[in-house]
Amino acid sequence: MADAKVIPFDDDRSRGAAVQRPARRRAAGSRRKGDPVVVREVQPMPGRALPQDDVPVTQEEQPPRKPQQGGTGTSLEQRIAGGLSFLRRRLTGDYEIDEFGYDQELTDQVLMSLIRPVYEKYFRVEVKGVENIPSDGGALIVANHSGTLPLDGLMMQVAVHDNHPANRHLRLLAADLVFMLPVVNELARKAGHTLACSEDAERLLERGELVGVMPEGFKGIGKPFSERYKLQRFGRGGFVSTALRAGTPIIPCSIVGAEEIYPMIGNAKTLARLLGFPYFPITPTFPWLGPLGAIPLPTKWTIQFGEPIRTDGYPPEAADDPMLMFNLTDQVREQIQHTLYKLLVQRRSVFF
């Protein structure tokens, strides 16, 4: 609350009277004892308005009262009440999840709140082209994948929800490995992620959901630092076939900044095979610094959503046309790659 302006009495009365008011003296024709009282309208002094207390104000015209200093109690009480209500629903099981395990309330109240500080303060994500995402109905967002760890998918999820006028939720398609890891498996399901297969993706699109996919997979996220921002192969175009069957638009998405959070300078392939991982990254800080080496570098991110590519004008049998799928896949890939180069040219620094 802004501080109120205090006007000293000396300025308003003593000094002002000494400067503007003449010395008091009886004027000719002034009232004497026994004369009738004549009431005249009080005129304001030149250049000064009547005090605010002299102006009548109705109840409707009164401005809303501002909370006093330290009066954030109402907001704090609401937060506490909301938190207790959330815990009560958790304990009693009075909440809903869909057939994929998505828990919208937990995602909005807890998971998004944990990711948002990293999104806003650490990576300082700048979002462009969010108006290209439809306000309702299904759509498939196709993005590049990088960063050694899949933080780019989480940042894209927050970018869509917090910047879109409809606060839409992005349902990400994740690799099998995500659902094989303990704890990560449950969190991914609760956050709305599902297996990267055409059946699940098509069901989500037909329900009008916003689905996100990163066709590069492990080839993109685990590529060496020397090949940063060079898109890898987009698979066999399965995402295009899914969009054609559902008749939903494809929205290319380009992410700049994720490549530098863990500069991958090596890959311990033997150790990766022993652990069952697709790769085991070696960076300038990991594993040399131990747990501290797992902290990502605070790079500046930009996420840009491109113009949608419509698929509803194709006949139903188009989803089985390999040449059409190849052409649309190449079109999406080229649009993402071109936007990446453009954003890199516009970028001032990796960290600012």
Side-chain angles (χ1 to χ4, degrees):
M1 179 184 69
D3 295 335
K5 182 178 180 182
V6 179
I7 303 176
F9 281 143
D10 291 342
D11 293 345
D12 187 45
R13 302 289 174 88
S14 302
R15 187 174 66 247
V19 175
Q20 298 184 15
R21 296 182 180 177
R24 297 181 62 185
R25 60 182 181 180
R26 185 180 297 276
S30 59
R31 176 178 173 269
R32 297 180 182 276
K33 185 177 181 180
D35 293 343
V37 178
V38 179
V39 180
R40 295 182 175 86
E41 181 181 358
V42 179
Q43 299 294 333
M45 295 180 64
R48 298 184 60 185
L50 286 173
Q52 187 66 26
D53 294 339
D54 295 340
V55 181
V57 180
T58 63
Q59 185 68 23
E60 292 78 6
E61 295 173 344
Q62 289 183 356
R65 293 184 178 180
K66 297 181 179 180
Q68 299 178 356
Q69 187 173 1
T72 57
T74 303
S75 177
L76 180 59
E77 291 174 359
Q78 291 176 350
R79 292 182 180 181
I80 294 175
L84 293 175
S85 178
F86 173 79
L87 290 176
R88 179 184 59 80
R89 290 192 296 272
R90 292 287 119 183
L91 294 175
T92 60
D94 186 18
Y95 58 92
E96 296 181 357
I97 59 175
D98 68 4
E99 56 185 303
F100 297 95
Y102 174 47
D103 189 337
Q104 181 174 337
E105 184 185 42
L106 180 67
T107 301
D108 290 343
Q109 298 293 332
V110 179
L111 301 182
M112 285 287 213
S113 300
L114 295 175
I115 302 173
R116 192 169 287 115
V118 180
Y119 170 90
E120 294 178 348
K121 305 299 183 182
Y122 198 77
F123 293 136
R124 296 147 291 149
V125 181
E126 179 183 359
V127 180
K128 301 179 179 180
V130 72
E131 65 277 1
N132 291 317
I133 301 175
S135 298
D136 53 18
L140 184 66
I141 296 181
V142 182
N144 59 304
H145 206 13
S146 62
T148 305
L149 290 180
L151 298 181
D152 49 0
L154 300 178
M155 297 302 109
M156 185 170 63
Q157 188 176 10
V158 179
V160 172
H161 179 269
D162 288 4
N163 291 274
H164 196 276
N167 299 119
R168 301 203 62 181
H169 292 84
L170 181 64
R171 309 291 294 271
L172 291 171
L173 303 181
D176 300 359
L177 180 61
V178 173
F179 302 101
M180 296 171 59
L181 299 175
V183 180
V184 176
N185 171 28
E186 287 295 325
L187 291 177
R189 289 289 185 187
K190 296 291 186 181
H193 306 170
T194 188
L195 193 63
C197 63
S198 58
E199 292 80 9
D200 286 358
E202 191 171 346
R203 286 163 59 195
L204 288 171
L205 291 173
E206 289 176 349
R207 288 172 43 179
E209 298 284 355
L210 198 62
V211 179
V213 61
M214 296 173 167
E216 291 178 281
F218 291 122
K219 298 188 301 295
I221 196 175
K223 63 178 178 287
F225 187 67
S226 59
E227 298 181 12
R228 60 191 179 278
Y229 298 114
K230 296 179 181 178
L231 294 183
Q232 305 298 303
R233 186 171 173 267
F234 267 28
R236 301 177 181 178
F239 69 91
V240 172
S241 176
T242 301
L244 286 170
R245 286 191 173 90
T248 55
I250 300 174
I251 302 173
C253 176
S254 302
I255 303 175
V256 166
E259 295 274 13
E260 294 89 359
I261 60 174
Y262 295 111
M264 187 170 166
I265 58 177
N267 180 14
K269 296 182 179 180
T270 303
L271 185 57
R273 284 194 297 268
L274 291 175
L275 296 175
F277 294 157
Y279 57 88
F280 189 88
I282 297 176
T283 72
T285 58
F286 183 82
W288 325 114
L289 298 182
L292 291 177
I295 300 176
L297 297 179
T299 58
K300 176 73 171 61
W301 286 37
T302 302
I303 300 178
Q304 180 164 336
F305 301 96
E307 295 183 1
I309 300 173
R310 302 186 63 87
T311 63
D312 53 356
Y314 294 96
E317 61 272 13
D320 299 321
D321 186 348
M323 186 57 66
L324 177 61
M325 285 193 296
F326 174 80
N327 291 335
L328 288 177
T329 301
D330 191 60
Q331 180 182 350
V332 174
R333 187 178 181 278
E334 287 299 322
Q335 187 169 337
I336 295 174
Q337 184 70 80
H338 176 75
T339 304
L340 286 175
Y341 287 149
K342 183 175 66 174
L343 293 174
L344 288 172
V345 171
Q346 297 173 352
R347 184 170 66 168
R348 296 177 302 171
S349 168
V350 173
F351 300 100
F352 304 101

